Amino acid sequence: MTLTLLIIVMAALLIMTAALLFIPWSGTHSVSRDVLNRAFYHSRLRELERENTAEREEMVAELQHNLLDDIPAHQGDAAPKPLSRWVLAPGVAALLIISLGVFWKTVNLKNVLEWQEVTRQTPELLNRVMDPNAPALTMEEMARLGLGLRTRLQDDPNNVDGWMMLGRIGMALNNATTATDAFEHAWKLAPNNIDAKLDYAEVLIRSSDENDNKLGDKLLREAVSASHTNIRALSLLAFSSFEQQRFGDAIAAWQMMLGVLPQNDKRRAIIERSIAQAQAQTGMDNVPLAVKITLSPEAQQGMPANGTVFITVVGEASPVPVAVKKLPVGQFPMTLNIDDSNTMMPGSSLSSLHQGWIKVHISQDGTPAVQSGDWVGQSALIKFDQAKPTEVIISSRQP
């Protein structure tokens, strides 16, 4: 209907333009200068006859001299021939050809027809989306529905549900620009609509733009503050925190979800695995091994003022150190923690050991190799128990 109306309007404009070319030449008679002079002469002559003054004869003679003498004797022979209308036909033809050419080049008729077809299909596609028992839309049908929704939203720009649906279609089509713009429009129309806020926040936290991530995180925190039991808001906040390596915040959000979900909910297992993964990333599952270092009376007297303490953990299966920690000499007794961050070799971890030895070496020159005059100490073969510190006494000096 729209295309037909457009063609009718264009045709009418072309006809009017062509008609304008003929209007200046449409007169069948032309008024010449001689005819005007003669008419003016007779009119003025009648006026002079009514005046009956002494100068009348002189004025008549002057009038004849000025007007009548200028009229040729054989004016019929010099009459111009009227211009034929067919001379304008090439101009009209050129106007039509140029107009149709510009129309054809600038208007993709095939796309226009497809757009009109999509507009007619939009109600049916919407009904299928809303009907849970209807067959799912294909990607092509989803794209058609998106185009139809865009057309509707041009006429109804305040339709929040329409913008939200267009955003979800954009996400389904992996079109981040469409999804972001549509969800932003919906959120601005209804900033207190929790679904609009969460939809917009979701595309923002998945963006590669850091500013988008910050705004998405802010919206999610607002949603969680408004409702601590909103599972979707908590889940998105946990995802955002984990992606930004704020593992503590992610764990807190997932733990809040566990407090809301029922015990038999299948999602609990997934959340628990996610918490364990976040704990592994932040080291929360890496319980440190506590070591207490004391000095014998002899070591207290011979301890250098400036030195380096090396604490080495060795497993029972291999003499190769699993973990080593280095720190300057301080006040004794000294209590410290050693954990997987002090692991020496990839593939081995302190938390995987069950028993072994803890060796302490106080170096005078700061080198890890034991030199003459260095103080050393070693624990017995013990089971590593994180509940209480393992005590190592420095009592012997390297000869």
Side-chain angles (χ1 to χ4, degrees), residues 141-154:
E141 290 173 332
M142 196 76 72
R144 285 173 169 265
L145 178 57
L147 178 58
L149 278 176
R150 282 182 178 276
T151 305
R152 285 193 168 192
L153 290 170
Q154 293 296 322

Side-chain angles (χ1 to χ4, degrees), residues 21-202:
L21 294 175
F22 287 93
I23 288 176
W25 316 100
S26 60
T28 56
H29 301 284
S30 61
V31 181
S32 67
R33 182 171 63 98
D34 298 339
V35 173
L36 290 174
N37 286 346
R38 186 178 288 106
F40 184 74
Y41 168 75
H42 288 293
S43 174
R44 181 60 180 157
L45 187 61
R46 286 192 293 270
E47 292 177 359
L48 292 175
E49 289 176 351
R50 287 193 294 270
E51 290 179 1
N52 195 19
T53 61
E55 295 86 3
R56 175 178 175 275
E57 295 298 331
E58 183 179 348
M59 295 179 68
V60 169
E62 184 181 354
L63 185 62
Q64 290 176 344
H65 175 73
N66 291 335
L67 296 177
L68 295 183
D69 290 352
D70 194 37
I71 301 175
H74 303 285
Q75 66 176 32
D77 297 339
K81 240 178 146 183
L83 185 65
S84 175
R85 296 179 185 177
W86 291 106
V87 175
L88 303 175
V92 175
L95 175 65
L96 290 173
I97 293 172
I98 293 173
S99 301
L100 292 175
V102 171
F103 174 77
W104 187 260
K105 285 291 185 182
T106 56
V107 177
N108 193 325
L109 190 59
K110 180 181 177 181
N111 287 347
V112 172
L113 294 175
E114 289 181 353
W115 166 67
Q116 289 184 329
E117 179 64 22
V118 166
T119 303
R120 286 192 293 268
Q121 292 178 353
T122 300
E124 177 189 351
L125 295 175
L126 279 173
N127 291 334
R128 285 180 56 186
V129 169
M130 302 303 294
D131 186 359
N133 298 321
L137 268 62
T138 63
M139 297 302 288
E140 181 181 355
E141 290 173 332
M142 196 76 72
R144 285 173 169 265
L145 178 57
L147 178 58
L149 278 176
R150 282 182 178 276
T151 305
R152 285 193 168 192
L153 290 170
Q154 293 296 322
D155 299 327
D156 187 14
N158 296 324
N159 189 331
V160 177
D161 293 335
W163 285 111
M164 291 170 62
M165 182 171 290
L166 179 61
R168 293 183 184 121
I169 290 174
M171 292 188 69
L173 296 175
N174 200 25
N175 189 330
T177 302
T178 296
T180 303
D181 292 344
F183 284 142
E184 180 183 11
H185 209 114
W187 172 66
K188 288 182 176 179
L189 287 173
N192 294 325
N193 185 316
I194 188 64
D195 291 327
K197 178 178 288 187
L198 293 180
D199 285 341
Y200 185 38
E202 184 171 359

Side-chain angles (χ1 to χ4, degrees), residues 361-362 364 369-376 395-399:
H361 162 221
I362 300 177
Q364 300 177 79
V370 179
Q371 306 290 332
S372 177
D374 291 346
W375 289 90
V376 296
S395 57
S396 61
R397 193 171 190 178
Q398 189 71 13

Side-chain angles (χ1 to χ4, degrees), residues 109-349:
L109 190 59
K110 180 181 177 181
N111 287 347
V112 172
L113 294 175
E114 289 181 353
W115 166 67
Q116 289 184 329
E117 179 64 22
V118 166
T119 303
R120 286 192 293 268
Q121 292 178 353
T122 300
E124 177 189 351
L125 295 175
L126 279 173
N127 291 334
R128 285 180 56 186
V129 169
M130 302 303 294
D131 186 359
N133 298 321
L137 268 62
T138 63
M139 297 302 288
E140 181 181 355
E141 290 173 332
M142 196 76 72
R144 285 173 169 265
L145 178 57
L147 178 58
L149 278 176
R150 282 182 178 276
T151 305
R152 285 193 168 192
L153 290 170
Q154 293 296 322
D155 299 327
D156 187 14
N158 296 324
N159 189 331
V160 177
D161 293 335
W163 285 111
M164 291 170 62
M165 182 171 290
L166 179 61
R168 293 183 184 121
I169 290 174
M171 292 188 69
L173 296 175
N174 200 25
N175 189 330
T177 302
T178 296
T180 303
D181 292 344
F183 284 142
E184 180 183 11
H185 209 114
W187 172 66
K188 288 182 176 179
L189 287 173
N192 294 325
N193 185 316
I194 188 64
D195 291 327
K197 178 178 288 187
L198 293 180
D199 285 341
Y200 185 38
E202 184 171 359
V203 295
L204 290 176
I205 63 175
R206 298 180 187 275
S207 170
S208 58
D209 190 322
E210 184 178 351
N211 292 327
D212 287 347
N213 299 152
K214 290 180 179 179
L215 177 57
D217 197 71
K218 176 177 177 292
L219 294 177
L220 290 174
R221 292 184 183 279
E222 291 177 356
V224 172
S225 298
S227 175
H228 296 290
T229 59
N230 190 312
I231 296 296
R232 186 186 176 198
L234 289 169
S235 177
L236 291 174
L237 180 59
F239 172 82
S240 175
S241 300
F242 188 88
E243 287 296 308
Q244 297 179 48
Q245 299 184 357
R246 300 195 313 269
F247 302 113
D249 293 344
I251 293 170
W254 277 320
Q255 287 176 339
M256 290 177 68
M257 290 178 65
L258 290 177
V260 175
L261 293 174
Q263 292 297 324
N264 58 350
D265 196 303
K266 295 180 179 179
R267 290 173 291 180
R268 295 183 68 90
I270 299 175
I271 294 171
E272 289 169 354
R273 286 197 296 269
S274 299
I275 290 175
Q277 184 179 1
Q279 288 175 338
Q281 291 287 341
T282 194
M284 292 178 66
D285 64 337
N286 177 21
V287 180
L289 177 64
V291 179
K292 182 179 180 181
I293 303 172
T294 58
L295 300 178
S296 66
E298 295 81 3
Q300 289 179 357
Q301 295 178 0
M303 186 61 54
N306 297 318
T308 304
V309 181
F310 290 92
I311 302 96
T312 304
V313 180
V314 180
E316 60 178 339
S318 172
V320 178
V322 175
V324 175
K325 189 166 187 174
K326 173 184 175 182
L327 66 159
V329 170
Q331 295 292 327
F332 292 91
M334 177 187 296
T335 302
L336 54 94
N337 292 327
I338 186 168
D339 55 28
D340 284 341
S341 64
N342 307 117
T343 299
M344 292 292 294
M345 297 185 302
S348 62
S349 63

